[in-house]
Amino acid sequence: MASILRCRKLRYVEPVKCSTLGLESLETLKSSDKAEGGASAVVVNTINRSLPGKRRRRPTNDWRYIDWYCWMVGYLCTTWWLLLLLSHFLSGFQAPESPGSKLKREGLKALHPVVLVPGIVIGGLELWEGRPCADGLFRKRLWSSSFTENFRRPLCWLEHLSLDSVTGLDPPGIRVRPVTGLAAADYFAPGYFLWTTLIENLAKVGYEGKNLHMATYDWRLSFQNTEVRDQSLSRLKSKIELMFVINGYRKVVVVPHSMGSLYFLHFLKWVEAPAPMGGGGGPGWCAKHIKAIMNIGPLFLGVPKAVSNILSSEAKDIAFARTMAPVVLDSNFPGLQTLEHIMQVSRTWDSMMSLIPKGGETIWGDLDWSPEEEYNCDSEWKKNLKASSRDQSHKTNISDGQLGFRVKESVKFGRIISFGKMASKLPSSELRTFDFKDLSCGGASTKSNSSCGEVWTEYDELSRESIKEVAENKVYTATTILDLLYFVAPKMMRRANAHFSHGVAENLDDPKYSHYKYWSNPLETKLPDAPAMEIYCLYGVGIPTERSYVYKLLPSDQCRHIPFRIDSSTGGNNGRCLRSGIYFVDGDESVPVLSAGFMCAKGWQGRNRFNPFGISTYIREYRNKPPTILFEGRGLESSSHVDIMGNVALIEDIMRVAAGANGVELGGNRIFSDIIKMSERINLRL
Amino acid sequence: MSILRRRKASETEKASKEDTHKETKYKGVEDEKKDKISKRKVEEKKKKWSCIDSCCWLIGCICSIGWFLLFLYNAMPASFPQYVTEAINGPLPDPPGVKLQKEGLTVKHPVVFVPGIVTGGLELWEGHQCADGLFRKRLWGGTFGEVYKRPLCWVEHMSLDNETGLDPSGIRVRPVPGLVAADYFAPGYFVWAVLIANLARIGYEEKTMYMAAYDWRLSFQNTEVRDHTLSRIKSNIELMVATNGGRKVVVIPHSMGVLYFLHFMKWVEAPAPMGGGGGSDWCAKHIKAVMNIGGPFLGVPKAVSGLFSAEAKDIAVARAIAPVFLDKDVFGLQALQHFMQMTRTWDSTMSMIPKGGDTIWGNMDWSPEEGYACNPQRQRNNETQVAGQSGTEGLSYPKRVNYGRIISFGKEVAEEHSSKIERMDFWDAVKGNNLGNTTCRDVWTEYHDMGWGGIKAVGDYKAYTAGSILDLLHFVAPKMMKRGDAHFSYGIAENLDDPKYNHYKYWSNPLETKLPNAPDMEIYSMYGVGIPTERAYIYKLTPAAECYIPFQIDTSAEGENEGSRLKGGVFSVDGDETVPVLSAGFMCAKAWRGKSRFNPSGIRTFIREYDHAPPVNLLEGRGTQSGAHVDIMGNFALIEDIIRVAAGATGEELGGDRVYSDIFKGLGSLILWETVDGVSEEDMHFSLLPGLGEMNKLI
């Protein structure tokens, strides 16, 4: 069956292939066949005239379209199978040695239990109770795996994935729960691996069910709500304690990915907090149970992508949602208002708000300044093209050289959202500022609903005037972006405010910081008292990553509920940072280096107020090297946000730590990007 | 294909006609040239339209039809099959979950499932070369695709080490965790799925349901040694109790899971190095009820035939999985030998050997089921309780069957009076003179070590009771039983306070352990009745046993009349197709009833029997009233009972005992039989039925 499916895919994807087969006889046969079977007499005549004699009474009389169709399909299938077979054998010969078997030969053995914490969008969700339209889907996956339901009954599917827009928990009558176990996030869709490679390699040195655990949670909920509804945090705690005991009192190594790093940060605080709000593990819990936290592609300080996602649902590739349902997510699908639907659903997901950039202008830069300001896009692109063998000094030399003879116009990355390209470049003195409080939130255009289906977004409650005002405000930094979001999505932000905080703490001893809403913000919490613990930041670099956006205001339209859109017509000259409305910096395609590396590079470095007990931190960067041949699939040295999970160097690092190595033995920091320089520019009191 | 060929033929004909036609008509030189070119073209085309093209055409055709059907299938609304069923059968009754939800039941106690033997999935974590690409794929459960693709490799990976009973070197096969481990055994063959779906209706979800998956091939204590499974179950139960506001769990073991959970209850309270160190009140604090489904508390006779000759085709559900593979004479591949070799490395099968010896299972002349007749079955169903009266049964008084002789060689032996059977002791028989290993390829079974002398000696002993069956197994499979002895015990305890009973090998035998001190706990025994169940076997020696297992069930042995209990060499009694009523019900009906030495704290026990009613028609699938060992998991009455208890009901609220079989009357009616024979009740009690006397003393 699988092969048939594959064939079908092939048919959809490569309908052109029949013409590239190179069999001219086929082509001619086909054309004459068409001529004779078809209704158009003109064509027949022309062919008759061009061909001598009675060739029109050719033996192909019996051949009909259906035969041709069958023939073609059969041909394509066979070729496809042959190719598949070939690639199967070839890959069998060419497969390089996996890090697992390499390290096994070195004598590494499973030592510390490993806990995997998946990120947003990655974990599977399954239905436990649903409306009548979801009949027969009990305990079937709604999210991840094949997404077939998505296509068969899209509205029903969206309804079941939404949460309640007031409480942020289940809507009545619907229970969608995370899939448990390793199967939850090993593959996202068939063939699209996530944790599989890592799990497979760990298994080679002896890991199995008793010392490998996937901490699944419902990634749509806010972190504290996963405990309220599913007791996910309690389960994780109990699981870690159990693994600690049954593996001979060896501490665990935690490997969070993407949003999982925030989730685990939350867990660290939760587990030591006293019982009603926290897990009651006592202040020594982390020191006793955790050896190392190896964050893969962490987004400690949030991602700018989250803003554009909330504002206009346009972050097509937050994590990799892009790959999953390209048709549905494409914005211009006629008539279906898909974007509005998506927005409505994703705004009920509290976890999205944990990704909003944290630390405000101190971290992300203000109107005139940003930590990345010396970032040179040109050199960055070139570096991508060439092999990554160039060392650090060489690269900086080149970019210095370029700076010398070219007037560098610094990009104002700090303006995360600007309306119009001009606004993104103007000096700050020419910008006008205003207060959101002056705006009237009138429900002006609520009547338009009837003509446009039943999609409702919060934009309907905003009057056209106030939307215009928003656009006229021109630019928003990481701090003012919060006000903007408050304005356009008040309900969502009200929920978010109860669960997340995005500021920088003045005084960490303030008792208010014992509230759970601060736990997932590294700038408002102290790390636990666990001096022997290690924190790693493992992330990819060398891929342009979204950092700030140029927006435009859409003309008023009855059925367009989202009035803002990324202005994809704007673009810099070739090689600039601005491309189709988006300014890019260095990162792993989703997370800018700043967000991934800053805490390890500076925020927690040494002993400071965020890290009062001196937990050692390490940065391990992995430079992108796209796959050289097709057989390699998604690459063994890729560094993009998700594909990095298959990066051989990263896997090796994780396995060494799991087998007992510490950060120093691993080789300490391994840095390719400008993260140190950037961090130095950030003026944060430590 | 023939159509294709014909078409081609007509093509060539036409072409040749055309050619002749053309030659007569065209005379100009240029025209001829053109003609030649075009002819060549035509020929080329003809050549190209060869076999390959027809193949392509065929494949394309099949593919397209396949897609079309697939498309139709996908486009079909999910409720379609149900709609058809309802159209034919009339509206279905509400599933119990929906019914009870309407009654207002909601989730209360967390639920723990303990799957039985064979039903849990196993997946590969590390394997030999031949199993490349199967990492974390299911070797057991699921589609069993690998069994067919690489059978020898599969057998190799499913086997355990012959000495230790643990992993062979370089192979790690581990149980699948989570609810998926045993919800479906194979696609479409549910085990726990129906129960899970119904529980979900009243609000259960993964935080309140837990599947205690374990590697069912290992001995119970070894699951802890290798995987720490018992510790994990303990920790999970503790977690569920803590996160559900201190509400105790309801445990639902099925089949061998019953024994596994017995083991767990002893393990968890035992002190730390050997046990779980939970303290003596752990069970009282954490467990509300244990609802055993089809529990083989005292073992099953089927296990004996399984170990002896690998012929228990349907031990649990193995029959359903791979009928081809398990059938004997396929391809001459010695499948049975391979299978036997594999199963003999599985320690867990030894936990199912009948326990309690002659006292429970009967001796040469006596057995507790004596009065059971196969045909009164239906009568009993009709007349319900009246059937127990002596009047009716006096008429259809059947010949006595000596069920106590679990294995007998020859039908005569099975029926003869014990004094007439001459038995030769087989222990002295000389083992040796290896039967030619070489001719039998490399399949090895322990029978090869026995030699012909040993085999003959076994046959000469004629009849084996539950007690002597152990000696037999020790004789024919010494290696296996050596492992078995370290992990299981099959006797009856004389003095339960003897410190030796602290050893883990006694924990899964209900006759050698005390129940925990948890007076509030409830134990249910829920099982199906009304299906003939294997109880005793007639064996024969296979002639010229070069490459075969030397013993075989004598399938030619049939009873005289239709109502006979002997069919195809197997004597059957009432039960659920796998477990006889005696094994499933005895503990709850008698040994644990009230306060006894096996149940010192007086845990209340309840018996819930479910009379088998086969599905009315094919559309109903495996039936909603089935009593068969595995299909009972879809029995609506059973599911309703479980849901009620999980939602907080006690055994009394459920209606106490619900009995169809003779489990309570068993002993009483027995006395009746003997009175008819002219022996006084009391004489019978103490002299004629020594077994029964012992049985009573026991308690």
Side-chain angles (χ1 to χ4, degrees), chain A residues 92-107:
Chain A
F93 288 126
Q94 291 181 347
E97 195 181 22
S98 67
S101 27
K102 182 182 145 204
L103 294 176
K104 192 186 178 189
R105 264 196 290 109
E106 279 184 27

Side-chain angles (χ1 to χ4, degrees), chain B residues 378-400:
Chain B
R378 292 271 78 84
Q379 288 174 20
R380 202 198 52 220
N381 288 344
N382 299 339
E383 302 168 25
T384 53
Q385 311 298 332
V386 200
Q389 305 300 324
S390 57
T392 47
E393 295 200 11
L395 297 173
S396 65
Y397 189 60
K399 226 168 107 185
R400 283 178 49 168

Side-chain angles (χ1 to χ4, degrees), chain A residues 529-582:
Chain A
D529 177 8
M533 204 168 93
E534 291 172 327
I535 295 181
Y536 294 81
C537 291
L538 316 155
Y539 53 89
V541 295
I543 304 182
T545 308
E546 301 173 29
R547 173 67 168 84
S548 55
Y549 301 89
V550 178
Y551 264 85
K552 67 179 175 197
L553 183 67
L554 287 183
S556 174
D557 182 345
Q558 275 291 0
C559 289
R560 271 194 201 285
H561 296 273
I562 302 176
F564 309 117
R565 178 139 309 175
I566 293 176
D567 187 1
S568 51
S569 64
T570 56
N573 303 330
N574 194 25
R576 290 294 171 81
C577 298
L578 178 66
R579 278 188 309 170
S580 57
I582 301 169

Side-chain angles (χ1 to χ4, degrees), chain B residues 79-94 619:
Chain B
S79 56
F80 188 68
Q82 199 195 344
Y83 177 76
V84 171
T85 321
E86 282 189 7
I88 295 173
N89 287 347
L92 289 174
D94 267 349
L619 283 168

Side-chain angles (χ1 to χ4, degrees), chain A residues 69-88:
Chain A
Y69 170 75
C70 287
W71 190 91
M72 206 170 70
V73 170
Y75 195 87
L76 290 179
C77 282
T78 327
T79 341
W80 179 253
W81 286 332
L82 279 177
L83 280 177
L84 212 71
L85 206 72
L86 211 68
S87 74
H88 186 73

Side-chain angles (χ1 to χ4, degrees), chain A residues 1 4 53-54 57 63 67 70-71 74 139 175 177 180 186 200 203 207-208 210 229 235 246, chain B residues 18 25-26 49 53 56-57 60 67 70 135-136 172 174 183 200 203-207 226 228:
Chain A
M1 225 41 190
I4 292 178
K54 317 219 160 172
R57 272 204 275 134
W63 279 105
D67 292 327
C70 287
W71 190 91
R139 284 187 57 221
R175 281 185 294 150
R177 296 287 178 266
T180 54
D186 53 352
E200 228 174 289
Y207 281 92
E208 60 191 44
K210 68 175 171 187
R229 200 192 69 181
R235 288 158 149 231
I246 66 177
Chain B
E18 261 176 48
K25 208 170 184 182
Y26 293 103
W49 192 257
D53 292 313
C56 288
W57 185 86
W67 293 332
L70 202 75
F135 176 70
R136 283 189 58 226
R172 282 185 292 147
R174 295 287 177 266
D183 53 351
Y204 278 89
E205 54 194 65
E206 217 139 337
K207 68 176 171 182
R226 198 192 72 181
H228 302 282

Side-chain angles (χ1 to χ4, degrees), chain B residues 332-402:
Chain B
L333 268 178
Q334 301 177 300
L336 209 56
Q337 277 83 345
H338 276 294
F339 191 70
M340 180 160 184
Q341 194 190 346
M342 180 173 78
T343 47
R344 280 209 179 165
T345 65
W346 295 348
D347 287 351
S348 62
T349 48
M350 284 176 285
S351 70
M352 315 262 270
I353 294 174
K355 289 164 192 170
D358 294 359
T359 321
I360 300 288
W361 294 93
N363 58 17
M364 294 294 283
D365 294 312
W366 167 88
S367 74
E369 287 108 333
E370 270 184 333
Y372 173 71
C374 272
N375 45 354
Q377 185 89 29
R378 292 271 78 84
Q379 288 174 20
R380 202 198 52 220
N381 288 344
N382 299 339
E383 302 168 25
T384 53
Q385 311 298 332
V386 200
Q389 305 300 324
S390 57
T392 47
E393 295 200 11
L395 297 173
S396 65
Y397 189 60
K399 226 168 107 185
R400 283 178 49 168
V401 177
N402 298 311

Side-chain angles (χ1 to χ4, degrees), chain A residues 302-328:
Chain A
V303 280
K305 212 178 259 192
V307 176
S308 76
N309 189 45
I310 292 170
L311 200 62
S312 65
S313 288
E314 278 183 301
K316 282 182 211 158
D317 48 2
I318 183 155
F320 46 83
R322 175 167 68 171
T323 48
M324 64 146 212
V327 180
V328 174

